[in-house]
Amino acid sequence: MREEAVDAREPEGTRSAPTAGDVADAARLVGFGLQPRLLPARDAEYAELIRRHREDPGFARLADAVAAGLGLIVLEVSPRAGMAVAAAEDSVFAVRMGDYARRAASDTGDRFLHGLAHLAAAALAFPRPEDLADDGYIGRITVNGVDAFVRQACRRLEERADEAGENTDPASDAPGLEAAWRVYVRRSATGATKDARRLASSTTGIIGKAVAFLVESGFLQRTGDEHGGTYRTTARYQLQVRDMASSAAMAELLDLGVVPVTDGTATLAPAADDDVLAADAGLPFHTAS
């Protein structure tokens, strides 16, 4: 669709060959896009290059080609998100979840939980299709809230297993979320070191590492220390979650009904009477403000 719009605005025969300066500017724009915490509103040159990309079809094609040559997928170019890019699997800039997990934890079970933490954070931040579709929507999550959400999902999965008469012993090699809950529910929510810091291997410790990574990647912004740490989503994170929303794992997690995915003013379902949430969970309600 972009190419059709470009051709309509810039007919054949009117395009001029890009200069070395144009190529340098296009590469500069892509370089800005690779700084996920930088926004156009905070850098005049970045803002000008974003404007040029949106108004100059030839420059837009050039910048997109530079990004493609680096193995980057352009998700959006706008004042709100900047040049938001995602790395293709074969890109030198790709950060695979397995690589991240290996850096964050040496234990295989912990790596699995890190992946679950990222999946849960995304599902809790944008639980409804309309949340992802609304560019003005801001999701809010907390570390304790994500932990409570996952444990609530684990209870749903355990109930399903019991009803089906399945073995509920740990089985880390089992596929999908059915394996995840067996590992997660047996892990301490916090634990504590001698100086009262939460253990890195606890579930909130793992979630804390996950959200810290998302902050470093420009996907979340920390807003406070309450409930283990409170965060708000960025436009870049919304674009990334849109890209992964159709994944089987995300669909499976949302289908558990822990959060509603159709309508309702609040995007978190109330807990059942016998569903005890983690203390001080600080489960948020999401608004567009």
Side-chain angles (χ1 to χ4, degrees), residues 29-55:
L29 176 56
V30 175
F32 279 127
L34 290 169
Q35 301 176 61
R37 299 177 70 176
L38 179 64
L39 296 176
R42 299 176 183 173
D43 190 289
E45 182 183 6
Y46 192 7
E48 172 58 24
L49 290 172
I50 291 293
R51 182 202 62 77
R52 186 176 173 188
H53 186 284
R54 291 164 65 82
E55 297 179 4

mmCIF file with all atom_site columns, all heavy atoms in Angstrom, residues 29-55:
data_model
loop_
_atom_site.group_PDB
_atom_site.id
_atom_site.type_symbol
_atom_site.label_atom_id
_atom_site.label_alt_id
_atom_site.label_comp_id
_atom_site.label_asym_id
_atom_site.label_entity_id
_atom_site.label_seq_id
_atom_site.pdbx_PDB_ins_code
_atom_site.Cartn_x
_atom_site.Cartn_y
_atom_site.Cartn_z
_atom_site.occupancy
_atom_site.B_iso_or_equiv
_atom_site.pdbx_formal_charge
_atom_site.auth_seq_id
_atom_site.auth_comp_id
_atom_site.auth_asym_id
_atom_site.auth_atom_id
_atom_site.pdbx_PDB_model_num
ATOM 1   N N   . LEU A 1 29 ? 18.726 8.399  9.900  1.00 0.00 ? 29 LEU A N   1
ATOM 2   C CA  . LEU A 1 29 ? 17.378 8.125  10.408 1.00 0.00 ? 29 LEU A CA  1
ATOM 3   C C   . LEU A 1 29 ? 17.277 6.705  10.940 1.00 0.00 ? 29 LEU A C   1
ATOM 4   O O   . LEU A 1 29 ? 16.716 6.472  12.019 1.00 0.00 ? 29 LEU A O   1
ATOM 5   C CB  . LEU A 1 29 ? 16.348 8.355  9.306  1.00 0.00 ? 29 LEU A CB  1
ATOM 6   C CG  . LEU A 1 29 ? 14.894 8.028  9.658  1.00 0.00 ? 29 LEU A CG  1
ATOM 7   C CD1 . LEU A 1 29 ? 14.436 8.803  10.887 1.00 0.00 ? 29 LEU A CD1 1
ATOM 8   C CD2 . LEU A 1 29 ? 13.982 8.315  8.472  1.00 0.00 ? 29 LEU A CD2 1
ATOM 9   N N   . VAL A 1 30 ? 17.803 5.747  10.206 1.00 0.00 ? 30 VAL A N   1
ATOM 10  C CA  . VAL A 1 30 ? 17.789 4.359  10.672 1.00 0.00 ? 30 VAL A CA  1
ATOM 11  C C   . VAL A 1 30 ? 18.585 4.242  11.970 1.00 0.00 ? 30 VAL A C   1
ATOM 12  O O   . VAL A 1 30 ? 18.198 3.521  12.892 1.00 0.00 ? 30 VAL A O   1
ATOM 13  C CB  . VAL A 1 30 ? 18.352 3.416  9.599  1.00 0.00 ? 30 VAL A CB  1
ATOM 14  C CG1 . VAL A 1 30 ? 18.456 1.987  10.139 1.00 0.00 ? 30 VAL A CG1 1
ATOM 15  C CG2 . VAL A 1 30 ? 17.464 3.433  8.355  1.00 0.00 ? 30 VAL A CG2 1
ATOM 16  N N   . GLY A 1 31 ? 19.684 4.964  12.057 1.00 0.00 ? 31 GLY A N   1
ATOM 17  C CA  . GLY A 1 31 ? 20.470 4.963  13.294 1.00 0.00 ? 31 GLY A CA  1
ATOM 18  C C   . GLY A 1 31 ? 19.668 5.477  14.476 1.00 0.00 ? 31 GLY A C   1
ATOM 19  O O   . GLY A 1 31 ? 19.757 4.932  15.579 1.00 0.00 ? 31 GLY A O   1
ATOM 20  N N   . PHE A 1 32 ? 18.869 6.525  14.245 1.00 0.00 ? 32 PHE A N   1
ATOM 21  C CA  . PHE A 1 32 ? 17.994 7.018  15.310 1.00 0.00 ? 32 PHE A CA  1
ATOM 22  C C   . PHE A 1 32 ? 16.998 5.925  15.703 1.00 0.00 ? 32 PHE A C   1
ATOM 23  O O   . PHE A 1 32 ? 16.688 5.737  16.884 1.00 0.00 ? 32 PHE A O   1
ATOM 24  C CB  . PHE A 1 32 ? 17.240 8.262  14.853 1.00 0.00 ? 32 PHE A CB  1
ATOM 25  C CG  . PHE A 1 32 ? 18.031 9.535  14.937 1.00 0.00 ? 32 PHE A CG  1
ATOM 26  C CD1 . PHE A 1 32 ? 18.152 10.366 13.827 1.00 0.00 ? 32 PHE A CD1 1
ATOM 27  C CD2 . PHE A 1 32 ? 18.644 9.922  16.118 1.00 0.00 ? 32 PHE A CD2 1
ATOM 28  C CE1 . PHE A 1 32 ? 18.879 11.552 13.899 1.00 0.00 ? 32 PHE A CE1 1
ATOM 29  C CE2 . PHE A 1 32 ? 19.369 11.108 16.204 1.00 0.00 ? 32 PHE A CE2 1
ATOM 30  C CZ  . PHE A 1 32 ? 19.493 11.926 15.088 1.00 0.00 ? 32 PHE A CZ  1
ATOM 31  N N   . GLY A 1 33 ? 16.474 5.215  14.697 1.00 0.00 ? 33 GLY A N   1
ATOM 32  C CA  . GLY A 1 33 ? 15.505 4.162  14.975 1.00 0.00 ? 33 GLY A CA  1
ATOM 33  C C   . GLY A 1 33 ? 16.074 3.037  15.806 1.00 0.00 ? 33 GLY A C   1
ATOM 34  O O   . GLY A 1 33 ? 15.339 2.334  16.500 1.00 0.00 ? 33 GLY A O   1
ATOM 35  N N   . LEU A 1 34 ? 17.384 2.856  15.742 1.00 0.00 ? 34 LEU A N   1
ATOM 36  C CA  . LEU A 1 34 ? 18.042 1.812  16.523 1.00 0.00 ? 34 LEU A CA  1
ATOM 37  C C   . LEU A 1 34 ? 18.356 2.267  17.949 1.00 0.00 ? 34 LEU A C   1
ATOM 38  O O   . LEU A 1 34 ? 18.961 1.524  18.712 1.00 0.00 ? 34 LEU A O   1
ATOM 39  C CB  . LEU A 1 34 ? 19.326 1.363  15.824 1.00 0.00 ? 34 LEU A CB  1
ATOM 40  C CG  . LEU A 1 34 ? 19.107 0.566  14.530 1.00 0.00 ? 34 LEU A CG  1
ATOM 41  C CD1 . LEU A 1 34 ? 20.418 0.393  13.776 1.00 0.00 ? 34 LEU A CD1 1
ATOM 42  C CD2 . LEU A 1 34 ? 18.489 -0.795 14.845 1.00 0.00 ? 34 LEU A CD2 1
ATOM 43  N N   . GLN A 1 35 ? 17.937 3.465  18.301 1.00 0.00 ? 35 GLN A N   1
ATOM 44  C CA  . GLN A 1 35 ? 18.049 3.962  19.675 1.00 0.00 ? 35 GLN A CA  1
ATOM 45  C C   . GLN A 1 35 ? 16.632 4.013  20.242 1.00 0.00 ? 35 GLN A C   1
ATOM 46  O O   . GLN A 1 35 ? 15.976 5.057  20.216 1.00 0.00 ? 35 GLN A O   1
ATOM 47  C CB  . GLN A 1 35 ? 18.702 5.339  19.710 1.00 0.00 ? 35 GLN A CB  1
ATOM 48  C CG  . GLN A 1 35 ? 20.093 5.390  19.108 1.00 0.00 ? 35 GLN A CG  1
ATOM 49  C CD  . GLN A 1 35 ? 20.663 6.791  19.085 1.00 0.00 ? 35 GLN A CD  1
ATOM 50  O OE1 . GLN A 1 35 ? 20.842 7.429  20.130 1.00 0.00 ? 35 GLN A OE1 1
ATOM 51  N NE2 . GLN A 1 35 ? 20.960 7.290  17.889 1.00 0.00 ? 35 GLN A NE2 1
ATOM 52  N N   . PRO A 1 36 ? 16.117 2.900  20.722 1.00 0.00 ? 36 PRO A N   1
ATOM 53  C CA  . PRO A 1 36 ? 14.696 2.783  21.037 1.00 0.00 ? 36 PRO A CA  1
ATOM 54  C C   . PRO A 1 36 ? 14.179 3.734  22.105 1.00 0.00 ? 36 PRO A C   1
ATOM 55  O O   . PRO A 1 36 ? 12.992 4.027  22.140 1.00 0.00 ? 36 PRO A O   1
ATOM 56  C CB  . PRO A 1 36 ? 14.563 1.319  21.493 1.00 0.00 ? 36 PRO A CB  1
ATOM 57  C CG  . PRO A 1 36 ? 15.936 0.933  21.939 1.00 0.00 ? 36 PRO A CG  1
ATOM 58  C CD  . PRO A 1 36 ? 16.863 1.673  21.027 1.00 0.00 ? 36 PRO A CD  1
ATOM 59  N N   . ARG A 1 37 ? 15.055 4.242  22.961 1.00 0.00 ? 37 ARG A N   1
ATOM 60  C CA  . ARG A 1 37 ? 14.569 5.136  24.013 1.00 0.00 ? 37 ARG A CA  1
ATOM 61  C C   . ARG A 1 37 ? 14.571 6.592  23.575 1.00 0.00 ? 37 ARG A C   1
ATOM 62  O O   . ARG A 1 37 ? 14.134 7.470  24.313 1.00 0.00 ? 37 ARG A O   1
ATOM 63  C CB  . ARG A 1 37 ? 15.421 4.950  25.272 1.00 0.00 ? 37 ARG A CB  1
ATOM 64  C CG  . ARG A 1 37 ? 15.358 3.524  25.815 1.00 0.00 ? 37 ARG A CG  1
ATOM 65  C CD  . ARG A 1 37 ? 16.254 3.303  27.007 1.00 0.00 ? 37 ARG A CD  1
ATOM 66  N NE  . ARG A 1 37 ? 15.774 3.994  28.186 1.00 0.00 ? 37 ARG A NE  1
ATOM 67  C CZ  . ARG A 1 37 ? 16.335 3.914  29.387 1.00 0.00 ? 37 ARG A CZ  1
ATOM 68  N NH1 . ARG A 1 37 ? 17.413 3.167  29.551 1.00 0.00 ? 37 ARG A NH1 1
ATOM 69  N NH2 . ARG A 1 37 ? 15.849 4.568  30.407 1.00 0.00 ? 37 ARG A NH2 1
ATOM 70  N N   . LEU A 1 38 ? 15.054 6.862  22.373 1.00 0.00 ? 38 LEU A N   1
ATOM 71  C CA  . LEU A 1 38 ? 15.088 8.224  21.862 1.00 0.00 ? 38 LEU A CA  1
ATOM 72  C C   . LEU A 1 38 ? 13.811 8.506  21.076 1.00 0.00 ? 38 LEU A C   1
ATOM 73  O O   . LEU A 1 38 ? 13.415 7.731  20.221 1.00 0.00 ? 38 LEU A O   1
ATOM 74  C CB  . LEU A 1 38 ? 16.311 8.417  20.955 1.00 0.00 ? 38 LEU A CB  1
ATOM 75  C CG  . LEU A 1 38 ? 16.470 9.800  20.319 1.00 0.00 ? 38 LEU A CG  1
ATOM 76  C CD1 . LEU A 1 38 ? 16.681 10.861 21.392 1.00 0.00 ? 38 LEU A CD1 1
ATOM 77  C CD2 . LEU A 1 38 ? 17.630 9.790  19.325 1.00 0.00 ? 38 LEU A CD2 1
ATOM 78  N N   . LEU A 1 39 ? 13.178 9.640  21.348 1.00 0.00 ? 39 LEU A N   1
ATOM 79  C CA  . LEU A 1 39 ? 11.958 10.029 20.653 1.00 0.00 ? 39 LEU A CA  1
ATOM 80  C C   . LEU A 1 39 ? 12.204 11.295 19.854 1.00 0.00 ? 39 LEU A C   1
ATOM 81  O O   . LEU A 1 39 ? 13.017 12.135 20.238 1.00 0.00 ? 39 LEU A O   1
ATOM 82  C CB  . LEU A 1 39 ? 10.821 10.257 21.656 1.00 0.00 ? 39 LEU A CB  1
ATOM 83  C CG  . LEU A 1 39 ? 10.363 9.028  22.453 1.00 0.00 ? 39 LEU A CG  1
ATOM 84  C CD1 . LEU A 1 39 ? 9.310  9.434  23.475 1.00 0.00 ? 39 LEU A CD1 1
ATOM 85  C CD2 . LEU A 1 39 ? 9.808  7.965  21.504 1.00 0.00 ? 39 LEU A CD2 1
ATOM 86  N N   . PRO A 1 40 ? 11.505 11.469 18.732 1.00 0.00 ? 40 PRO A N   1
ATOM 87  C CA  . PRO A 1 40 ? 11.681 12.673 17.915 1.00 0.00 ? 40 PRO A CA  1
ATOM 88  C C   . PRO A 1 40 ? 11.452 13.963 18.695 1.00 0.00 ? 40 PRO A C   1
ATOM 89  O O   . PRO A 1 40 ? 12.090 14.984 18.411 1.00 0.00 ? 40 PRO A O   1
ATOM 90  C CB  . PRO A 1 40 ? 10.639 12.496 16.812 1.00 0.00 ? 40 PRO A CB  1
ATOM 91  C CG  . PRO A 1 40 ? 10.461 11.021 16.690 1.00 0.00 ? 40 PRO A CG  1
ATOM 92  C CD  . PRO A 1 40 ? 10.601 10.499 18.095 1.00 0.00 ? 40 PRO A CD  1
ATOM 93  N N   . ALA A 1 41 ? 10.550 13.926 19.660 1.00 0.00 ? 41 ALA A N   1
ATOM 94  C CA  . ALA A 1 41 ? 10.256 15.136 20.429 1.00 0.00 ? 41 ALA A CA  1
ATOM 95  C C   . ALA A 1 41 ? 11.466 15.614 21.234 1.00 0.00 ? 41 ALA A C   1
ATOM 96  O O   . ALA A 1 41 ? 11.511 16.775 21.659 1.00 0.00 ? 41 ALA A O   1
ATOM 97  C CB  . ALA A 1 41 ? 9.077  14.881 21.372 1.00 0.00 ? 41 ALA A CB  1
ATOM 98  N N   . ARG A 1 42 ? 12.442 14.741 21.429 1.00 0.00 ? 42 ARG A N   1
ATOM 99  C CA  . ARG A 1 42 ? 13.614 15.091 22.228 1.00 0.00 ? 42 ARG A CA  1
ATOM 100 C C   . ARG A 1 42 ? 14.840 15.393 21.379 1.00 0.00 ? 42 ARG A C   1
ATOM 101 O O   . ARG A 1 42 ? 15.910 15.660 21.922 1.00 0.00 ? 42 ARG A O   1
ATOM 102 C CB  . ARG A 1 42 ? 13.929 13.944 23.201 1.00 0.00 ? 42 ARG A CB  1
ATOM 103 C CG  . ARG A 1 42 ? 12.805 13.648 24.181 1.00 0.00 ? 42 ARG A CG  1
ATOM 104 C CD  . ARG A 1 42 ? 13.141 12.432 25.038 1.00 0.00 ? 42 ARG A CD  1
ATOM 105 N NE  . ARG A 1 42 ? 12.049 12.089 25.935 1.00 0.00 ? 42 ARG A NE  1
ATOM 106 C CZ  . ARG A 1 42 ? 12.022 10.985 26.691 1.00 0.00 ? 42 ARG A CZ  1
ATOM 107 N NH1 . ARG A 1 42 ? 13.029 10.118 26.617 1.00 0.00 ? 42 ARG A NH1 1
ATOM 108 N NH2 . ARG A 1 42 ? 10.999 10.738 27.473 1.00 0.00 ? 42 ARG A NH2 1
ATOM 109 N N   . ASP A 1 43 ? 14.712 15.308 20.065 1.00 0.00 ? 43 ASP A N   1
ATOM 110 C CA  . ASP A 1 43 ? 15.857 15.547 19.199 1.00 0.00 ? 43 ASP A CA  1
ATOM 111 C C   . ASP A 1 43 ? 15.379 16.212 17.915 1.00 0.00 ? 43 ASP A C   1
ATOM 112 O O   . ASP A 1 43 ? 14.629 15.618 17.142 1.00 0.00 ? 43 ASP A O   1
ATOM 113 C CB  . ASP A 1 43 ? 16.576 14.232 18.883 1.00 0.00 ? 43 ASP A CB  1
ATOM 114 C CG  . ASP A 1 43 ? 17.903 14.438 18.192 1.00 0.00 ? 43 ASP A CG  1
ATOM 115 O OD1 . ASP A 1 43 ? 17.884 14.841 17.009 1.00 0.00 ? 43 ASP A OD1 1
ATOM 116 O OD2 . ASP A 1 43 ? 18.945 14.173 18.816 1.00 0.00 ? 43 ASP A OD2 1
ATOM 117 N N   . ALA A 1 44 ? 15.816 17.445 17.685 1.00 0.00 ? 44 ALA A N   1
ATOM 118 C CA  . ALA A 1 44 ? 15.339 18.227 16.543 1.00 0.00 ? 44 ALA A CA  1
ATOM 119 C C   . ALA A 1 44 ? 15.721 17.574 15.216 1.00 0.00 ? 44 ALA A C   1
ATOM 120 O O   . ALA A 1 44 ? 14.923 17.559 14.264 1.00 0.00 ? 44 ALA A O   1
ATOM 121 C CB  . ALA A 1 44 ? 15.889 19.644 16.614 1.00 0.00 ? 44 ALA A CB  1
ATOM 122 N N   . GLU A 1 45 ? 16.927 17.022 15.121 1.00 0.00 ? 45 GLU A N   1
ATOM 123 C CA  . GLU A 1 45 ? 17.355 16.390 13.871 1.00 0.00 ? 45 GLU A CA  1
ATOM 124 C C   . GLU A 1 45 ? 16.515 15.154 13.578 1.00 0.00 ? 45 GLU A C   1
ATOM 125 O O   . GLU A 1 45 ? 16.106 14.919 12.429 1.00 0.00 ? 45 GLU A O   1
ATOM 126 C CB  . GLU A 1 45 ? 18.837 16.013 13.949 1.00 0.00 ? 45 GLU A CB  1
ATOM 127 C CG  . GLU A 1 45 ? 19.352 15.400 12.650 1.00 0.00 ? 45 GLU A CG  1
ATOM 128 C CD  . GLU A 1 45 ? 20.804 14.960 12.729 1.00 0.00 ? 45 GLU A CD  1
ATOM 129 O OE1 . GLU A 1 45 ? 21.393 15.032 13.833 1.00 0.00 ? 45 GLU A OE1 1
ATOM 130 O OE2 . GLU A 1 45 ? 21.341 14.507 11.698 1.00 0.00 ? 45 GLU A OE2 1
ATOM 131 N N   . TYR A 1 46 ? 16.263 14.356 14.607 1.00 0.00 ? 46 TYR A N   1
ATOM 132 C CA  . TYR A 1 46 ? 15.421 13.170 14.457 1.00 0.00 ? 46 TYR A CA  1
ATOM 133 C C   . TYR A 1 46 ? 14.039 13.579 13.968 1.00 0.00 ? 46 TYR A C   1
ATOM 134 O O   . TYR A 1 46 ? 13.477 12.992 13.028 1.00 0.00 ? 46 TYR A O   1
ATOM 135 C CB  . TYR A 1 46 ? 15.346 12.454 15.799 1.00 0.00 ? 46 TYR A CB  1
ATOM 136 C CG  . TYR A 1 46 ? 14.768 11.057 15.791 1.00 0.00 ? 46 TYR A CG  1
ATOM 137 C CD1 . TYR A 1 46 ? 14.454 10.382 14.610 1.00 0.00 ? 46 TYR A CD1 1
ATOM 138 C CD2 . TYR A 1 46 ? 14.547 10.388 17.003 1.00 0.00 ? 46 TYR A CD2 1
ATOM 139 C CE1 . TYR A 1 46 ? 13.936 9.097  14.626 1.00 0.00 ? 46 TYR A CE1 1
ATOM 140 C CE2 . TYR A 1 46 ? 14.037 9.095  17.026 1.00 0.00 ? 46 TYR A CE2 1
ATOM 141 C CZ  . TYR A 1 46 ? 13.722 8.464  15.844 1.00 0.00 ? 46 TYR A CZ  1
ATOM 142 O OH  . TYR A 1 46 ? 13.208 7.195  15.859 1.00 0.00 ? 46 TYR A OH  1
ATOM 143 N N   . ALA A 1 47 ? 13.459 14.608 14.585 1.00 0.00 ? 47 ALA A N   1
ATOM 144 C CA  . ALA A 1 47 ? 12.123 15.071 14.213 1.00 0.00 ? 47 ALA A CA  1
ATOM 145 C C   . ALA A 1 47 ? 12.094 15.536 12.757 1.00 0.00 ? 47 ALA A C   1
ATOM 146 O O   . ALA A 1 47 ? 11.131 15.268 12.020 1.00 0.00 ? 47 ALA A O   1
ATOM 147 C CB  . ALA A 1 47 ? 11.674 16.194 15.140 1.00 0.00 ? 47 ALA A CB  1
ATOM 148 N N   . GLU A 1 48 ? 13.149 16.222 12.322 1.00 0.00 ? 48 GLU A N   1
ATOM 149 C CA  . GLU A 1 48 ? 13.201 16.701 10.942 1.00 0.00 ? 48 GLU A CA  1
ATOM 150 C C   . GLU A 1 48 ? 13.293 15.534 9.961  1.00 0.00 ? 48 GLU A C   1
ATOM 151 O O   . GLU A 1 48 ? 12.654 15.541 8.891  1.00 0.00 ? 48 GLU A O   1
ATOM 152 C CB  . GLU A 1 48 ? 14.391 17.641 10.772 1.00 0.00 ? 48 GLU A CB  1
ATOM 153 C CG  . GLU A 1 48 ? 14.681 18.052 9.331  1.00 0.00 ? 48 GLU A CG  1
ATOM 154 C CD  . GLU A 1 48 ? 13.512 18.745 8.649  1.00 0.00 ? 48 GLU A CD  1
ATOM 155 O OE1 . GLU A 1 48 ? 12.644 19.316 9.354  1.00 0.00 ? 48 GLU A OE1 1
ATOM 156 O OE2 . GLU A 1 48 ? 13.456 18.713 7.399  1.00 0.00 ? 48 GLU A OE2 1
ATOM 157 N N   . LEU A 1 49 ? 14.079 14.506 10.288 1.00 0.00 ? 49 LEU A N   1
ATOM 158 C CA  . LEU A 1 49 ? 14.196 13.344 9.413  1.00 0.00 ? 49 LEU A CA  1
ATOM 159 C C   . LEU A 1 49 ? 12.885 12.556 9.357  1.00 0.00 ? 49 LEU A C   1
ATOM 160 O O   . LEU A 1 49 ? 12.524 12.009 8.303  1.00 0.00 ? 49 LEU A O   1
ATOM 161 C CB  . LEU A 1 49 ? 15.340 12.449 9.878  1.00 0.00 ? 49 LEU A CB  1
ATOM 162 C CG  . LEU A 1 49 ? 16.749 13.033 9.670  1.00 0.00 ? 49 LEU A CG  1
ATOM 163 C CD1 . LEU A 1 49 ? 17.794 12.149 10.350 1.00 0.00 ? 49 LEU A CD1 1
ATOM 164 C CD2 . LEU A 1 49 ? 17.053 13.189 8.181  1.00 0.00 ? 49 LEU A CD2 1
ATOM 165 N N   . ILE A 1 50 ? 12.166 12.503 10.475 1.00 0.00 ? 50 ILE A N   1
ATOM 166 C CA  . ILE A 1 50 ? 10.848 11.854 10.484 1.00 0.00 ? 50 ILE A CA  1
ATOM 167 C C   . ILE A 1 50 ? 9.907  12.621 9.553  1.00 0.00 ? 50 ILE A C   1
ATOM 168 O O   . ILE A 1 50 ? 9.164  12.030 8.751  1.00 0.00 ? 50 ILE A O   1
ATOM 169 C CB  . ILE A 1 50 ? 10.276 11.800 11.907 1.00 0.00 ? 50 ILE A CB  1
ATOM 170 C CG1 . ILE A 1 50 ? 11.079 10.815 12.773 1.00 0.00 ? 50 ILE A CG1 1
ATOM 171 C CG2 . ILE A 1 50 ? 8.794  11.411 11.883 1.00 0.00 ? 50 ILE A CG2 1
ATOM 172 C CD1 . ILE A 1 50 ? 10.955 9.370  12.370 1.00 0.00 ? 50 ILE A CD1 1
ATOM 173 N N   . ARG A 1 51 ? 9.908  13.952 9.665  1.00 0.00 ? 51 ARG A N   1
ATOM 174 C CA  . ARG A 1 51 ? 9.061  14.778 8.796  1.00 0.00 ? 51 ARG A CA  1
ATOM 175 C C   . ARG A 1 51 ? 9.406  14.537 7.328  1.00 0.00 ? 51 ARG A C   1
ATOM 176 O O   . ARG A 1 51 ? 8.522  14.379 6.478  1.00 0.00 ? 51 ARG A O   1
ATOM 177 C CB  . ARG A 1 51 ? 9.251  16.262 9.137  1.00 0.00 ? 51 ARG A CB  1
ATOM 178 C CG  . ARG A 1 51 ? 8.363  17.202 8.304  1.00 0.00 ? 51 ARG A CG  1
ATOM 179 C CD  . ARG A 1 51 ? 8.922  18.602 8.257  1.00 0.00 ? 51 ARG A CD  1
ATOM 180 N NE  . ARG A 1 51 ? 10.235 18.642 7.615  1.00 0.00 ? 51 ARG A NE  1
ATOM 181 C CZ  . ARG A 1 51 ? 10.423 18.567 6.301  1.00 0.00 ? 51 ARG A CZ  1
ATOM 182 N NH1 . ARG A 1 51 ? 9.390  18.430 5.479  1.00 0.00 ? 51 ARG A NH1 1
ATOM 183 N NH2 . ARG A 1 51 ? 11.651 18.619 5.789  1.00 0.00 ? 51 ARG A NH2 1
ATOM 184 N N   . ARG A 1 52 ? 10.692 14.476 7.017  1.00 0.00 ? 52 ARG A N   1
ATOM 185 C CA  . ARG A 1 52 ? 11.124 14.276 5.639  1.00 0.00 ? 52 ARG A CA  1
ATOM 186 C C   . ARG A 1 52 ? 10.684 12.910 5.119  1.00 0.00 ? 52 ARG A C   1
ATOM 187 O O   . ARG A 1 52 ? 10.248 12.777 3.976  1.00 0.00 ? 52 ARG A O   1
ATOM 188 C CB  . ARG A 1 52 ? 12.639 14.421 5.557  1.00 0.00 ? 52 ARG A CB  1
ATOM 189 C CG  . ARG A 1 52 ? 13.179 14.373 4.138  1.00 0.00 ? 52 ARG A CG  1
ATOM 190 C CD  . ARG A 1 52 ? 14.675 14.614 4.125  1.00 0.00 ? 52 ARG A CD  1
ATOM 191 N NE  . ARG A 1 52 ? 15.215 14.396 2.787  1.00 0.00 ? 52 ARG A NE  1
ATOM 192 C CZ  . ARG A 1 52 ? 16.527 14.378 2.509  1.00 0.00 ? 52 ARG A CZ  1
ATOM 193 N NH1 . ARG A 1 52 ? 17.415 14.571 3.488  1.00 0.00 ? 52 ARG A NH1 1
ATOM 194 N NH2 . ARG A 1 52 ? 16.937 14.164 1.269  1.00 0.00 ? 52 ARG A NH2 1
ATOM 195 N N   . HIS A 1 53 ? 10.785 11.892 5.968  1.00 0.00 ? 53 HIS A N   1
ATOM 196 C CA  . HIS A 1 53 ? 10.355 10.546 5.576  1.00 0.00 ? 53 HIS A CA  1
ATOM 197 C C   . HIS A 1 53 ? 8.873  10.534 5.233  1.00 0.00 ? 53 HIS A C   1
ATOM 198 O O   . HIS A 1 53 ? 8.447  9.865  4.278  1.00 0.00 ? 53 HIS A O   1
ATOM 199 C CB  . HIS A 1 53 ? 10.645 9.566  6.715  1.00 0.00 ? 53 HIS A CB  1
ATOM 200 C CG  . HIS A 1 53 ? 10.386 8.125  6.374  1.00 0.00 ? 53 HIS A CG  1
ATOM 201 N ND1 . HIS A 1 53 ? 9.113  7.597  6.310  1.00 0.00 ? 53 HIS A ND1 1
ATOM 202 C CD2 . HIS A 1 53 ? 11.234 7.089  6.082  1.00 0.00 ? 53 HIS A CD2 1
ATOM 203 C CE1 . HIS A 1 53 ? 9.179  6.309  6.015  1.00 0.00 ? 53 HIS A CE1 1
ATOM 204 N NE2 . HIS A 1 53 ? 10.449 5.981  5.856  1.00 0.00 ? 53 HIS A NE2 1
ATOM 205 N N   . ARG A 1 54 ? 8.084  11.259 5.986  1.00 0.00 ? 54 ARG A N   1
ATOM 206 C CA  . ARG A 1 54 ? 6.633  11.257 5.791  1.00 0.00 ? 54 ARG A CA  1
ATOM 207 C C   . ARG A 1 54 ? 6.211  12.111 4.589  1.00 0.00 ? 54 ARG A C   1
ATOM 208 O O   . ARG A 1 54 ? 5.158  11.868 3.999  1.00 0.00 ? 54 ARG A O   1
ATOM 209 C CB  . ARG A 1 54 ? 5.949  11.747 7.062  1.00 0.00 ? 54 ARG A CB  1
ATOM 210 C CG  . ARG A 1 54 ? 6.080  10.743 8.216  1.00 0.00 ? 54 ARG A CG  1
ATOM 211 C CD  . ARG A 1 54 ? 5.751  11.390 9.566  1.00 0.00 ? 54 ARG A CD  1
ATOM 212 N NE  . ARG A 1 54 ? 4.368  11.803 9.660  1.00 0.00 ? 54 ARG A NE  1
ATOM 213 C CZ  . ARG A 1 54 ? 3.355  11.003 9.973  1.00 0.00 ? 54 ARG A CZ  1
ATOM 214 N NH1 . ARG A 1 54 ? 3.586  9.713  10.212 1.00 0.00 ? 54 ARG A NH1 1
ATOM 215 N NH2 . ARG A 1 54 ? 2.121  11.462 10.052 1.00 0.00 ? 54 ARG A NH2 1
ATOM 216 N N   . GLU A 1 55 ? 7.009  13.109 4.238  1.00 0.00 ? 55 GLU A N   1
ATOM 217 C CA  . GLU A 1 55 ? 6.610  14.045 3.187  1.00 0.00 ? 55 GLU A CA  1
ATOM 218 C C   . GLU A 1 55 ? 7.352  13.844 1.867  1.00 0.00 ? 55 GLU A C   1
ATOM 219 O O   . GLU A 1 55 ? 6.898  14.337 0.828  1.00 0.00 ? 55 GLU A O   1
ATOM 220 C CB  . GLU A 1 55 ? 6.815  15.484 3.677  1.00 0.00 ? 55 GLU A CB  1
ATOM 221 C CG  . GLU A 1 55 ? 5.958  15.839 4.878  1.00 0.00 ? 55 GLU A CG  1
ATOM 222 C CD  . GLU A 1 55 ? 6.183  17.259 5.366  1.00 0.00 ? 55 GLU A CD  1
ATOM 223 O OE1 . GLU A 1 55 ? 6.962  17.994 4.705  1.00 0.00 ? 55 GLU A OE1 1
ATOM 224 O OE2 . GLU A 1 55 ? 5.580  17.645 6.385  1.00 0.00 ? 55 GLU A OE2 1
#
